Amino acid sequence: MEGRGVRRRRGTRGRRGDGAGYFIPTTKHHDGVTLWDAPGTDGRNTVARGPQQDLIGAFAEATRAAGLRFGVYYSGGLDWHFSDLPPIEHDGDPAPDDLAYAEYAHDHVIDLIDRYRPDILWGDIRWPDAGIAPGPKSLAHAFETFYARVPEGVVNDRWGESHWDFRTSEYVHGTAVEVGEAWENTRGIGLSFGHNRNETSEHLLSADEAVRLLVDVVSRGGNLLPNIGLEASGRIPELQRQTLEGLGEWNSRHGHAVFGARPEERLRASDEPWLRWTRTDDAVHAVIDQNGSVRLPDPDGLLDEQTARIGDTGVSAERVDGAILVDVADAATPVVISFRPLA
């Protein structure tokens, strides 16, 4: 399930004040099979075959029952069933750009909007060229319909260089799009977005690596959208489950430094040791992958060392030569040390 957070079925997570903020299942990936009875699919959907169920409707209901925002992923620029073109292996390879496909994809997006009122439209692989020019079945018309039905809705930046509300990066970090107030990093827990039976633990993020990725993205002002590659049965593969449960366990103890947090740009991150900073309304949080005696650079005296704590427990800290020394012996890493800011 994807959520593009979550690709072959992806599922996703974002951020809000107390945990995950949104979930985005794949509605149609490049194979052309839709996870609802989309118009014109002639049985190439999960209502007519397989589970014989409107999976998107079920996802929408469960997502909103959990208090999350609901989005939909749609592969607009690529459909291996509709086109006789070979699979795309490079960005410059041809994609289905004819008017018939553009109108087919347009009708799918309109149907998703009308049925499910998604909060997020998450497109991928751009939009077919024949559907770019203004008209009754154009991309512009799809966007106009979306904003009319969902005035607070947002769209990502993979529909083509036309319009977006937030930017996205994939797997890589620190790219030009990871700036401003609205960006999102997405990746699979492994090296694939779908379920890849050849992947082992060496190919997947460990729980600690997932924590560091989440904290790094949040410390730079972004959202994280991890992808879950489900098995054909809908089951989460065991190794992916272990990563997700480890991330969830860390969040249950230290989520106060991530959810609802923003960057603390006055303090510098480092990779040796690994250190990231975030800030909430009443605290600055140092997230560090180190145990024992920890040195936190604070050359401008921004933090009150006397308020240092890990969770609800105060810890001993002292200021020495432009830094705060904190004893975090026996603390599980990555550890969060919080301070009351002096400025």
Side-chain angles (χ1 to χ4, degrees):
M1 323 138 344
E2 197 167 92
R4 200 192 165 282
V6 190
R7 272 185 197 195
R8 176 137 240 288
R9 274 162 147 188
R10 306 185 228 212
T12 93
R13 297 170 187 258
R15 291 195 284 123
R16 66 174 183 177
D18 57 350
Y22 53 95
F23 177 83
I24 306 176
T26 296
T27 66
K28 176 179 80 72
H29 206 240
H30 308 338
D31 56 12
V33 176
T34 65
L35 275 65
W36 88 107
D37 55 335
T41 49
D42 297 325
R44 283 186 63 82
N45 62 68
T46 59
V47 176
R49 58 173 67 180
Q52 298 186 327
Q53 183 179 358
D54 175 1
L55 297 178
I56 300 306
F59 285 144
E61 182 178 356
T63 299
R64 286 169 169 147
L68 308 183
R69 299 278 188 172
F70 179 71
V72 292
Y73 167 102
Y74 186 85
S75 175
L78 191 56
D79 189 312
W80 294 331
H81 171 69
F82 198 94
S83 171
D84 292 331
L85 294 168
I88 288 179
E89 296 180 352
H90 304 284
D91 289 344
D93 288 350
D97 280 327
D98 56 279
L99 181 61
Y101 177 63
E103 293 185 346
Y104 173 82
H106 168 275
D107 290 348
H108 283 185
V109 172
I110 295 298
D111 197 51
L112 287 169
I113 294 168
D114 286 342
R115 288 186 191 227
Y116 310 113
R117 296 294 197 273
D119 301 290
I120 307 160
L121 282 182
W122 215 109
D124 203 10
I125 317 294
R126 71 178 176 78
W127 195 249
D129 285 347
I132 297 299
K137 289 198 173 185
S138 65
L139 179 60
H141 175 261
F143 285 164
E144 289 169 2
T145 302
F146 174 58
Y147 289 124
R149 303 280 199 280
V150 189
E152 295 184 355
V154 293
V155 304
N156 73 329
D157 60 348
R158 301 194 185 189
W159 303 85
E161 295 297 318
S162 55
H163 165 78
W164 58 78
D165 295 306
F166 65 96
R167 305 303 304 267
T168 60
S169 59
E170 186 170 304
Y171 278 93
V172 294
H173 303 278
T175 63
V177 301
E178 292 185 348
V179 295
E181 296 183 357
W183 63 270
E184 172 190 85
N185 178 269
T186 185
R187 61 155 294 160
I189 294 175
L191 301 180
S192 302
F193 279 105
H195 173 49
N196 185 340
R197 287 175 291 182
N198 292 321
E199 287 188 333
T200 65
S201 58
E202 66 180 301
H203 303 113
L204 275 66
L205 289 172
S206 67
D208 282 354
E209 289 169 336
V211 167
R212 288 195 295 270
L213 173 61
L214 172 62
V215 173
D216 174 70
V217 168
V218 172
S219 73
R220 294 184 290 115
N223 276 8
L224 177 65
L225 188 62
N227 177 86
I228 305 168
L230 303 182
E231 297 176 356
S233 65
R235 177 179 176 272
I236 298 175
E238 183 59 31
L239 291 176
Q240 294 191 39
R241 179 180 295 278
Q242 291 174 16
T243 296
L244 292 169
E245 290 179 346
L247 176 61
E249 181 181 350
W250 188 90
N251 285 339
S252 69
R253 292 181 284 114
H254 300 301
H256 59 280
V258 173
F259 301 112
R262 58 188 185 275
E264 176 48 86
E265 297 175 347
R266 299 172 301 171
L267 294 165
R268 299 186 64 176
S270 71
D271 290 330
E272 291 293 339
W274 190 91
L275 169 65
R276 298 293 186 271
W277 297 92
T278 66
R279 180 167 185 165
T280 49
D281 289 341
D282 61 348
V284 172
H285 311 281
V287 186
I288 188 164
D289 198 5
Q290 183 181 349
N291 212 306
S293 180
V294 171
R295 184 179 187 275
L296 302 174
D298 181 24
D300 297 323
L302 301 175
L303 307 176
D304 182 355
E305 68 274 14
Q306 297 182 20
T307 64
R309 66 183 189 277
I310 297 176
D312 295 327
T313 304
V315 294
S316 176
E318 61 175 329
R319 183 173 295 277
V320 178
D321 297 331
I324 298 175
L325 301 184
V326 185
D327 183 8
V328 293
D330 300 325
T333 59
V335 63
V336 176
I337 309 168
S338 302
F339 300 87
R340 187 171 301 157
L342 292 171

